[in-house]
């Protein structure tokens, strides 16, 4: 019978065939990806979430008060960087006294573990110097304030830029 269909059979075991392995590859890749994603979620630091958000919300009025105080004093400053060394030139309108030390906070927008708090000391005539603990690259949120916490200046800084960062009071925002 020439019209009869013949079934071709192989005497090989299933694990020597390629189709079962090809069909199992997709679910195996998904399982490995799920394990890697779970590991990354557990190990990585989520700097966007804060555990004291309510307390931070209550402090908004105090923060705005510091910005208004900096604006009323006419404060503005320029931050310059050379390697790990930082220099701040701070100017005030009128006879506002400048403190002997200033706190400069570098906050990474998404990685709180990389934030730095640098104490800048006065060299006289509104010039302050300090040193970074580690090298920084990319975008940073910069905030300087006096030791008493009466005023604050802020700005967004591209650490790789050659231009100095101009810090101004954000009292109108």
């Amino acid at each position: 019978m020439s019209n009869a269909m013949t079934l071709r059979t192989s005497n090989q075991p299933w694990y020597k065939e390629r189709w079962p392995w090809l069909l199992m590859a997709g679910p195996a890749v998904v399982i490995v990806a799920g394990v890697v994603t779970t590991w990354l979620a557990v190990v990585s630091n989520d700097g966007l979430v804060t555990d004291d958000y309510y307390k931070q919300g209550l402090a908004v009025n105090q923060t705005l008060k510091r910005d208004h105080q900096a604006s009323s004093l006419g404060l503005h400053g320029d931050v310059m960087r050379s390697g790990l060394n930082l220099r701040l030139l701070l100017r005030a309108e009128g006879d506002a006294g400048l403190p002997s030390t200033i706190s400069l906070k570098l906050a990474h927008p998404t990685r709180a573990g990389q934030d730095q708090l640098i104490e800048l000391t006065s060299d006289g005539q509104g010039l302050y110097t300090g040193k970074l603990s580690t090298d920084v690259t990319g975008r940073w949120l910069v905030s300087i304030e006096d030791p008493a916490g009466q005023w604050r200046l802020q700005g967004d800084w591209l650490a790789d830029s050659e231009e100095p960062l101009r810090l101004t009071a954000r009292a109108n925002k």
Side-chain angles (χ1 to χ4, degrees):
M1 297 191 135
S2 61
N3 288 354
M5 190 183 322
T6 59
L7 182 61
R8 186 176 151 202
T9 60
S10 174
N11 290 338
Q12 291 183 347
W14 71 270
Y15 54 86
K16 289 190 177 180
E17 297 288 335
R18 68 177 172 168
W19 289 109
W21 292 109
L22 187 62
L23 293 173
M24 288 187 286
V29 168
V30 170
I31 290 170
V32 170
V35 169
V36 169
T37 302
T38 302
W39 178 75
L40 286 173
V42 170
V43 172
S44 66
N45 175 23
D46 189 2
L48 298 175
V49 178
T50 181
D51 58 351
D52 60 349
Y53 61 90
Y54 182 73
K55 191 184 286 185
Q56 286 182 353
L58 292 175
V60 167
N61 288 339
Q62 180 184 3
T63 301
L64 292 175
K65 182 180 175 186
R66 293 188 304 167
D67 291 341
H68 287 291
Q69 179 67 18
S71 180
S72 68
L73 292 173
L75 291 172
H76 57 281
D78 294 310
V79 177
M80 296 153 278
R81 173 183 160 201
S82 175
L84 294 179
N85 297 316
L86 289 178
R87 296 188 92 181
L88 167 68
L89 180 58
L90 185 64
R91 293 177 297 278
E93 294 176 3
D95 60 349
L98 298 177
S100 60
T101 62
I102 290 181
S103 297
L104 182 140
K105 181 178 182 182
L106 288 176
H108 195 275
T110 58
R111 300 268 183 210
Q114 295 180 3
D115 293 355
Q116 295 185 38
L117 183 62
I118 299 115
E119 184 171 311
L120 302 174
T121 56
S122 176
D123 292 343
Q125 298 180 351
L127 188 61
Y128 295 83
T129 57
K131 194 165 192 152
L132 294 168
S133 57
T134 60
D135 196 20
V136 294
T137 59
R139 183 174 171 259
W140 292 83
L141 306 173
V142 177
S143 172
I144 64 167
E145 61 184 54
D146 67 322
Q150 300 297 313
W151 54 261
R152 173 180 78 169
L153 296 176
Q154 300 182 90
D156 291 335
W157 183 38
L158 289 174
D160 307 319
S161 174
E162 296 291 326
E163 296 293 318
L165 168 64
R166 172 62 56 108
L167 297 171
T168 57
R170 297 181 177 181
N172 56 352
K173 292 185 180 180

